[in-house]
Amino acid sequence: MRLLFAAVLLCTTSPLAAQIVTPDRPVTDPKSLTSPVNPEARTVPLEDIGNSRSVGSTTWSADGKHVYLSTNLTGRYNIWRTEADGSWPLQMTQSDDAQGGLAASRDGKWLYYTQDNGGDEYYDIYRVPTGGGAVERVTNTPDISERWLVPGPSNGMMALSVKKKSEAQSNIAVMDTQGNVKTLTGETDPQFEWSPRLWADDGKTLYANRDKIDSTSTEIWRIDVGSGKSTPVLAKANTIYRVQDLSADGQWLAVTTDAEIGRPRAGLYNLATKKWKWLKAIPWDQQAVRFTLDGKSLIVESSNDLRTTLLRYDLATGTETPMNLPAGLNFTTGNDTRSPDGRSLLVVHMGANVAGELNRYDLADNSVRPLTQLSVASLRPEVLAKSEMVTYKSFDGTLISALVTMPANLKRDGSNPAIVLPHGGPTGKTEDYFDDIAAALASRGYIIIAPNFRGSTGYGKAFQTANYDDLGGGDLRDTVAAKTFLVESGYVDPKRVGIFGGSYGGFMTLMAVGKTPDEFAAGVQWFGIINWRTMYRDMDEVLKAYLRSLMGTPEENPAGYDRASPLTYIQNAKAPLLTIQGENDIRVPRGQAQEVNDILKAKGNIVETVYYPAEGHGFRKKENQLDSLRRTVEWFDKYLKAK
């Protein structure tokens, strides 16, 4: 999850006033929100939600007989193996540290994976025999992070991305079976990071993406593995060209690009003729995934605002056929979602009331076979609150999409509590995924609204860049407008609304309680930013590069740093505030939480701060996931529920 994003900015204090154009959609009448009657609705035990397992990284075995996945069945994200037709998983590795980034060698001998140290996000590469056995540490480089493994076609070679701790930029490298790493690219600009995507020409060529760190552009490059010579294939300023796949005949690249229409769409680029084939344009984001191995179709992920589906694009006829998946959030998973025989895809489906499970999608008959059943029995969809997509107008008329999770059996009497959930990023996006915090709160009678405020992805570049040099300005007003929308529904008591978020959502929480102290009655923030100056001093180099592109250095733009820091407004805070922080967080260092705690305690506010050792930007250990969930719910129950 990216924390910062943007281009070099002018130091300006002018608020945004003009409506930002986004995809046209009807405005929702708040009165149309309805709490359903559901006799099966229950308060779900926090232990059940906190101990529900989830799927991380996945990959097929080389022969297609097994699927490997990272999951926290034991309370730690370790690696398990299941039969390709579904079975109780068999544990492959054990570690207190989270394991992911799975990649199976083409010869079928090894499963490679990445693991950091207590959430510090500096990854080394490990491997375990595919039949089970002793784990081998392949790299041991505490000052270099190695990740994004892509198996080569032969000789056990792996492509990967490498980043030095002393630098912001990353580069492409290859690794042999002995763990010898050879760096191919020589990026010197701290604004760019490279990631490998696919091999070609029997292992002689790599295709890679070169991303600008502010998310405004991506370039496609071809790299000669032998010499390291890099050649741009598609590159243009302020434009995204992201390679996803190469057709079997080597003629067509599957590309996701925002060229021409200003938002991501799927297209096919002919390497010889330099001509394009386009799918039908839609109002929302779309991305290419992979060609089917029979060479007949392109798999595409297509958005409908807060939900996504998958479709097949027939290369011969141009016909687009939706795949047989339920409404919600549907996406492929793994560095190659396709089974080695080309018949199946690894697909995850989830929704606000559907915990994510790994599925095998059969391309021949469009059937879906569950590969995991990780959820606790009490988390049945019939019990949990469903989601609803809504649209409201913000202060300047800009349309804001949001996801509302409405508990069952509420009275429309203006007495109910609610929580506003700003997402992280802010170049992220709320989608219809399963959120354990939202599910726990909704099952306890809290109405939840999660807005996609300006700065979010999915609504065009103008919207995505609308909060540049205005962090905590227009985006905060969009977030406060989400509260107003709920109050106007007739269900919500305006004096019983809280705010919760992590990362940039934590920053928004701190901004909200300081800058709009009468709007929210309680706040919970996880690893949020209080002071951009100390953030710049203490953060990892890649985040410093983000922040420099956002608003320069503190010396270049002191007024901008002060204006965007909750520190400037926190003396006005009234709401009780809970802060939760990982000790090893390199994105938002521990000192940010300490500053919040010290300031609010000194002024006599109700404040509590919790630190988790050996955790980074997000909590991976089950006991900390459960503890943070319990503390968050209990905090809101204490300060928002009627006495």
Side-chain angles (χ1 to χ4, degrees):
M1 182 169 50
R2 284 184 175 167
L3 190 65
L4 308 170
F5 34 72
V8 177
L9 302 164
L10 298 176
C11 180
T12 173
T13 59
S14 300
L16 300 175
Q19 177 180 347
I20 304 163
V21 177
T22 61
D24 191 30
R25 56 212 189 270
V27 174
T28 307
D29 181 354
K31 298 291 185 183
S32 69
L33 292 181
T34 302
S35 173
V37 175
N38 182 4
E40 292 198 55
R42 299 286 187 275
T43 298
V44 179
L46 292 179
E47 292 78 8
D48 288 3
I49 293 183
N51 283 301
S52 188
R53 284 80 62 176
S54 59
V55 177
S57 176
T58 66
T59 194
W60 291 93
S61 65
D63 60 10
K65 294 180 179 179
H66 299 99
V67 173
Y68 303 102
L69 64 151
S70 170
T71 183
N72 56 341
L73 275 171
T74 62
R76 298 293 186 270
Y77 278 93
N78 294 153
I79 299 167
W80 298 68
R81 186 184 76 193
T82 183
E83 301 293 325
D85 289 330
S87 67
W88 177 255
L90 180 70
Q91 189 165 7
M92 301 282 293
T93 63
Q94 300 179 68
S95 174
D96 271 349
D97 287 318
Q99 299 167 328
L102 307 185
S105 63
R106 300 295 189 196
D107 60 12
K109 295 180 180 179
W110 297 101
L111 177 66
Y112 288 80
Y113 63 92
T114 58
Q115 178 179 316
D116 70 354
N117 182 23
D120 68 359
E121 297 190 49
Y122 275 83
Y123 297 91
D124 279 311
I125 299 170
Y126 296 75
R127 68 183 182 184
V128 62
T130 53
V135 168
E136 295 184 10
R137 186 168 188 164
V138 182
T139 65
N140 189 356
T141 53
D143 291 328
I144 299 176
S145 181
E146 295 126 341
R147 56 191 313 200
W148 305 121
L149 299 172
V150 180
S154 61
N155 301 325
M157 294 289 287
M158 288 275 173
L160 64 151
S161 174
V162 295
K163 179 195 140 3
K164 295 180 180 179
K165 186 174 288 189
S166 60
E167 298 175 347
Q169 66 270 24
S170 61
N171 280 284
I172 298 293
V174 291
M175 181 182 72
D176 64 20
T177 56
Q178 303 304 309
N180 299 307
V181 176
K182 174 186 176 183
T183 302
L184 299 181
T185 57
E187 185 62 66
T188 58
D189 189 336
Q191 297 301 310
F192 285 93
E193 53 189 0
W194 291 71
S195 57
R197 183 56 189 165
L198 53 99
W199 294 76
D201 304 327
D202 295 323
K204 298 176 183 177
T205 301
L206 272 170
Y207 282 90
N209 293 315
R210 181 178 183 251
D211 291 280
K212 195 172 183 185
I213 216 160
D214 63 6
S215 301
T216 60
S217 68
T218 302
E219 303 166 353
I220 299 172
W221 287 68
R222 182 191 294 112
I223 304 170
D224 181 84
V225 175
S227 67
K229 181 181 178 181
S230 303
T231 306
V233 179
L234 286 168
K236 185 179 178 181
N238 200 38
T239 303
I240 292 171
Y241 292 110
R242 185 172 295 117
V243 63
Q244 308 289 155
D245 202 6
L246 176 69
S247 61
D249 59 11
Q251 293 186 35
W252 296 91
L253 289 180
V255 177
T256 300
T257 177
D258 63 356
E260 298 184 15
I261 65 173
R263 59 181 178 275
R265 66 187 299 197
L268 301 175
Y269 179 73
N270 190 291
L271 289 167
T273 67
K274 305 189 185 311
K275 293 184 178 180
W276 288 90
K277 282 186 181 180
W278 297 109
L279 279 72
K280 297 174 185 175
I282 63 172
W284 305 103
D285 284 6
Q286 185 184 68
Q287 68 171 4
V289 178
R290 285 281 189 175
F291 291 107
T292 55
L293 290 183
D294 62 11
K296 295 180 179 180
S297 302
L298 175 68
I299 305 299
V300 176
E301 182 181 300
S302 195
S303 172
N304 179 21
D305 200 353
L306 307 181
R307 295 180 176 133
T308 59
T309 190
L310 298 173
L311 59 86
R312 274 190 276 189
Y313 172 77
D314 188 284
L315 300 182
T317 67
T319 303
E320 299 176 23
T321 305
M323 294 168 62
N324 182 32
L325 293 163
L329 190 63
N330 298 285
F331 55 92
T332 60
T333 180
N335 56 30
D336 191 339
T337 186
R338 305 165 298 186
S339 60
D341 63 10
R343 297 177 181 177
S344 304
L345 306 176
L346 294 177
V347 176
V348 173
H349 165 72
M350 65 172 64
N353 65 332
V354 180
E357 300 283 2
L358 182 63
N359 300 282
R360 176 177 176 172
Y361 190 97
D362 191 296
L363 290 168
D365 62 10
N366 292 308
S367 62
V368 181
R369 180 194 298 269
L371 294 182
T372 61
Q373 287 185 307
L374 300 174
S375 181
V376 176
S378 63
L379 301 183
R380 292 180 293 115
E382 298 83 4
V383 171
L384 298 174
K386 295 181 179 180
S387 60
E388 180 178 350
M389 295 193 299
V390 303
T391 300
Y392 59 87
K393 287 188 177 182
S394 191
F395 67 98
D396 57 0
T398 296
L399 297 180
I400 304 296
S401 292
L403 197 73
V404 172
T405 307
M406 175 66 77
N409 310 318
L410 299 183
K411 295 181 180 179
R412 198 189 296 264
D413 61 1
S415 68
N416 299 287
I419 308 291
V420 180
L421 266 66
H423 61 71
T427 46
K429 183 184 181 185
T430 288
E431 294 181 290
D432 192 13
Y433 54 79
F434 181 78
D435 184 310
D436 56 353
I437 296 288
L441 289 167
S443 82
R444 287 160 172 75
Y446 293 91
I447 301 172
I448 309 296
I449 187 166
N452 280 329
F453 45 81
R454 67 196 65 204
S456 303
T457 59
Y459 303 93
K461 275 193 174 176
F463 189 85
Q464 182 178 325
T465 60
N467 64 348
Y468 285 6
D469 206 28
D470 190 42
L471 303 183
D475 52 7
L476 177 60
R477 296 178 72 179
D478 296 340
T479 302
V480 172
K483 173 197 169 181
T484 302
F485 176 84
L486 287 188
V487 171
E488 290 176 351
S489 73
Y491 280 102
V492 173
D493 182 346
K495 297 187 180 301
R496 297 173 62 201
V497 179
I499 185 167
F500 163 79
S503 192
Y504 194 84
F507 160 79
M508 290 285 279
T509 298
L510 292 171
M511 269 296 209
V513 300
K515 203 171 182 181
T516 59
D518 297 317
E519 292 288 354
F520 298 100
V524 177
Q525 70 96 6
W526 294 4
F527 36 85
I529 303 101
I530 182 72
N531 183 347
W532 289 114
R533 292 174 182 270
T534 51
M535 271 283 288
Y536 186 82
R537 181 192 68 197
D538 299 336
M539 63 172 45
D540 182 73
E541 287 301 319
V542 69
L543 273 300
K544 283 187 179 181
Y546 274 111
L547 196 47
R548 284 194 299 270
S549 39
L550 176 65
M551 48 186 174
T553 67
E555 293 74 23
E556 293 166 342
N557 188 10
Y561 271 73
D562 291 342
R563 186 174 62 253
S565 292
L567 179 67
T568 302
Y569 317 98
I570 201 67
Q571 289 293 335
N572 300 320
K574 304 174 184 177
L577 181 72
L578 171 66
T579 294
I580 302 181
Q581 175 77 36
E583 293 271 10
N584 276 357
D585 195 336
I586 67 167
R587 301 189 184 215
V588 180
R590 182 191 190 280
Q592 295 295 306
Q594 192 67 55
E595 282 193 74
V596 176
N597 181 81
D598 293 349
I599 292 168
L600 292 181
K601 273 198 171 181
K603 70 185 289 286
N605 283 38
I606 299 172
V607 60
E608 184 176 327
T609 304
V610 179
Y611 301 100
Y612 295 134
E615 291 279 23
H617 199 67
F619 314 130
R620 306 290 282 177
K621 296 178 172 62
K622 183 57 63 177
E623 63 270 22
N624 296 333
Q625 292 176 332
L626 177 57
D627 186 69
S628 58
L629 171 67
R630 188 192 308 280
R631 288 177 183 273
T632 298
V633 171
E634 289 178 351
W635 191 265
F636 286 129
D637 280 351
K638 183 175 182 179
Y639 294 108
L640 296 183
K641 287 289 182 76
K643 303 298 183 184

